[in-house]
């Protein structure tokens, strides 16, 4: 996939060609790692970015404002009520090509996730349409707290790129997870976020299915699976951000991502109808949903009572939507399947790719730690019908989504080097 000269420049460490003046708002919040924002700022400036620093009041207790003002492209901003035009946060939000928050405290993350525009930096991240990169740093107990994790999940679902902290020495002589990511990893996050802005799916229609279907036994009980839908929703967000017109057919109870048209379904039959109705007009169909393979043959119309004894459930197979899509597909449509496996994942995924006659099969070992169901991370192998194999090591579901879409784009470019649209 093509990368911008800017992305390559910072990937090489920052001392690159002439500046193009892209604007990065560098937010610094109040944690001990605030001093490390200075090093990041220097690298961004030498890579040719125009860096506008914004500090929270607490950040100024950890880092001298004069230091950051001297090294950035403009003096530090701290207040909603002074400088940079009549409305400071919207002016900054519109100027930004990217907002980078180094370090991001638990409080900042909580406020941002909940839309609390408390101060200049929070108002700016809520007022911008530019990509936002957040680099958390805190003590291990806070990093592992469910509230923090929940808030981060919300941000990732909305397309924020999180550069996770590392293990190592922490303030106060402690040791553990929560140390701010290295400058290299932070700059790599900036690179990836900027690459996302490449609208390489522009003019294309992409249909994504997500979530685990629920097959009713009676009005109360269902047969379902452990799929959270997070990977499919991340795919929809990523495709929309890369310029596609996205339809998301989802059985998950996650919020509908902005930028996608969302169709809610519950059962495999409903998913089949929703997908088949819409697939014909799409350039790419990604079946990330965990569609139930079996459903009760009969659904009881009223709740089955315990007093009736233990019921015997008779199951029947559900329609294989992906196989049907493959039978129906028109010229040039790219079909992507997912294979959640345990055990010999690569071999099974390849067999499935051939059996369903799709272009790409994304396989994940759902028994591996940090991969698969209900995690925020995933590790996958993307196998192509052309024999290509791309390994994506443990990464956020958003990053996995981008890797899958990179493979889709590579296929589209190979098959049709000219810009295309079937609209
Ligand atoms: O056969 P298996 O369920 O493992 O295949 C997984 C792939 O097939 C996924 O992409 C899934 O969305 C799709 N699938 C389907 N209809 C089914 C079962 C799975 O489209 N009934």
């Amino acid at each position: 996939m093509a990368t911008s000269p800017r992305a390559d420049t910072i990937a090489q460490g920052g001392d690159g060609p002439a500046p193009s003046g892209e604007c990065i708002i560098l937010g610094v919040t109040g944690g001990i790692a605030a001093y490390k924002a200075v090093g990041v700022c220097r690298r961004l400036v030498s890579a040719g970015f125009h860096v506008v620093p914004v500090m929270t009041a607490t950040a100024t207790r950890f880092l001298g404002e004069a230091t950051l003002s001297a090294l950035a492209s403009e003096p530090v901003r701290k207040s909603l009520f002074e400088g940079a035009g009549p409305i400071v946060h919207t002016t900054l939000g519109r100027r930004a090509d990217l907002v980078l928050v180094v370090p991001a405290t638990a409080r900042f993350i909580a406020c941002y996730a909940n839309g609390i525009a408390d101060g200049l930096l929070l108002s700016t991240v809520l007022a911008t349409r530019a990509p936002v990169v957040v680099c958390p740093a805190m003590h291990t107990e806070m990093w592992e707290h469910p509230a923090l994790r929940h808030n981060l999940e919300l941000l990732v679902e909305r397309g924020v790129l999180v550069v996770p902290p590392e293990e190592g020495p922490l303030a106060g002589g402690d040791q553990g997870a929560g140390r701010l990511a290295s400058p290299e990893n932070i700059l790599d996050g900036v690179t990836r976020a900027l690459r996302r802005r490449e609208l390489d799916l522009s003019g294309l229609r992409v249909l994504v299915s997500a979530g685990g279907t629920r097959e009713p036994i009676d009005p109360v009980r269902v047969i379902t699976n452990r799929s959270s839908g997070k990977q499919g929703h991340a795919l929809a967000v990523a495709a929309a951000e890369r310029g596609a017109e996205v339809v998301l057919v989802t059985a998950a109870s996650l919020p509908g991502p902005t930028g996608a048209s969302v169709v809610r379904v519950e059962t495999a039959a409903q998913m089949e109808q929703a997908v088949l109705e819409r697939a014909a007009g799409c350039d790419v169909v990604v079946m990330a949903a965990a569609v139930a393979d079996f459903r009760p043959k009969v659904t009881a119309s009223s709740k089955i009572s315990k007093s009736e004894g233990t019921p015997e459930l008779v199951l029947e197979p559900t329609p294989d939507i992906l196989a049907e899509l493959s039978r129906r597909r028109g010229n040039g449509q790219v079909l992507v399947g997912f294979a959640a496996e345990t055990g010999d994942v690569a071999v099974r995924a390849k067999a499935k790719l051939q059996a369903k006659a799709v272009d790409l099969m994304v396989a994940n070992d759902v028994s591996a730690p940090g991969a698969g169901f209900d995690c925020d991370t995933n590790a996958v192998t993307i196998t192509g019908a052309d024999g290509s194999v791309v390994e994506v090591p443990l990464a956020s579901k958003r990053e996995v989504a981008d890797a899958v879409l990179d493979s889709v784009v590579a296929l589209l470019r190979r098959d049709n080097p000219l810009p295309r649209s079937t609209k």
Side-chain angles (χ1 to χ4, degrees):
M1 179 180 147
T3 59
S4 68
R6 171 48 34 87
D8 290 338
T9 303
I10 51 176
Q12 284 155 17
D15 300 316
S20 69
E22 276 175 301
C23 178
I24 293 192
I25 307 292
L26 175 62
V28 185
T29 70
I32 186 67
Y35 75 95
K36 295 183 180 172
V38 174
V40 172
C41 175
R42 282 205 84 128
R43 290 205 188 203
L44 292 171
V45 170
S46 33
F49 289 101
H50 186 92
V51 179
V52 182
V54 175
M55 293 176 81
T56 64
T58 326
T60 61
R61 301 179 73 127
F62 290 94
L63 173 67
E65 182 185 331
T67 311
L68 204 53
S69 285
L71 294 171
S73 314
E74 293 185 16
V76 163
R77 304 265 160 73
K78 290 180 303 183
S79 166
L80 279 161
F81 304 105
E82 47 191 50
I87 309 177
V88 185
H89 59 295
T90 52
T91 307
L92 286 178
R94 285 180 197 142
R95 275 182 75 194
D97 291 295
L98 181 135
V99 182
L100 171 67
V101 184
V102 181
T105 56
R107 178 180 183 282
F108 171 82
I109 290 165
C111 289
Y112 184 19
N114 289 285
I116 299 169
D118 182 10
L120 179 57
L121 182 59
L122 280 160
S123 302
T124 303
V125 288
L126 291 173
T128 195
R129 297 224 162 113
V132 179
V133 179
V134 164
C135 309
M138 60 201 70
H139 262 77
T140 311
E141 294 84 343
M142 296 171 83
W143 171 241
E144 291 177 350
H145 197 285
L148 183 274
R149 291 310 172 100
H150 177 69
N151 291 330
L152 270 184
E153 271 172 35
L154 284 176
L155 293 181
V156 170
E157 270 161 30
R158 292 177 194 149
V160 171
L161 194 145
V162 175
V163 182
E166 298 168 1
E167 295 228 358
L170 302 168
D174 294 328
Q175 178 86 19
R179 183 183 164 83
L180 183 72
S182 67
E184 289 71 28
N185 283 350
I186 293 173
L187 293 173
D188 181 56
V190 169
T191 305
R192 282 183 282 123
L194 288 173
R195 275 185 190 155
R196 281 184 189 173
R197 296 179 318 167
E198 290 176 25
L199 300 179
D200 52 6
L201 292 172
S202 148
L204 299 177
R205 286 189 181 150
V206 176
L207 190 152
V208 180
S209 71
T213 62
R214 291 179 298 282
E215 311 300 330
I217 296 170
D218 65 19
V220 177
R221 305 173 180 102
V222 293
I223 296 177
T224 189
N225 57 63
R226 293 183 190 279
S227 168
S228 64
K230 287 179 181 174
Q231 185 61 75
H233 279 237
L235 273 155
V237 171
E241 282 185 13
R242 290 167 73 149
E245 190 182 313
V246 179
V247 180
L248 173 67
V249 178
T250 182
S253 51
L254 298 169
T258 38
S261 129
V262 180
V263 183
R264 304 252 176 212
V265 296
E266 183 168 2
T267 64
Q270 289 166 1
M271 183 165 278
E272 180 191 31
Q273 192 186 352
V275 167
L276 294 182
E277 261 174 26
R278 292 164 178 84
C282 291
D283 301 279
V284 181
V285 180
V286 184
M287 282 295 296
V291 186
D293 289 322
F294 304 101
R295 65 185 167 207
K297 201 163 184 174
V298 177
T299 300
S301 55
S302 53
K303 186 182 170 190
I304 301 169
S305 165
K306 265 199 284 191
S307 61
E308 294 164 32
T310 309
E312 275 189 21
L313 284 182
V314 180
L315 303 179
E316 64 177 8
T318 55
D320 191 322
I321 307 168
L322 189 53
E324 184 57 30
L325 283 168
S326 167
R327 281 190 283 274
R328 293 186 184 197
R329 78 160 132 182
N331 268 352
Q333 186 179 62
V334 173
L335 276 185
V336 184
F338 269 68
E341 301 286 348
T342 57
D344 207 346
V345 175
V347 174
R348 285 175 209 219
K350 202 164 170 207
K352 221 165 254 187
L353 176 121
Q354 283 159 354
K356 302 205 185 199
V358 296
D359 300 291
L360 297 169
M361 188 56 82
V362 184
N364 59 351
D365 181 349
V366 287
S367 60
F373 297 136
D374 215 20
C375 300
D376 295 321
T377 50
N378 210 353
V380 302
T381 306
I382 307 167
T383 306
D386 57 2
S388 61
V389 177
V390 177
E391 299 278 356
V392 187
L394 200 63
S396 72
K397 288 194 168 169
R398 171 57 203 249
E399 287 168 78
V400 170
D402 275 313
V404 172
L405 295 175
D406 287 348
S407 293
V408 168
V409 168
L411 272 182
L412 291 168
R413 288 196 178 146
R414 188 202 63 189
D415 293 344
N416 187 354
L418 297 172
R420 45 182 258 147
S421 171
T422 56
K423 279 186 213 171

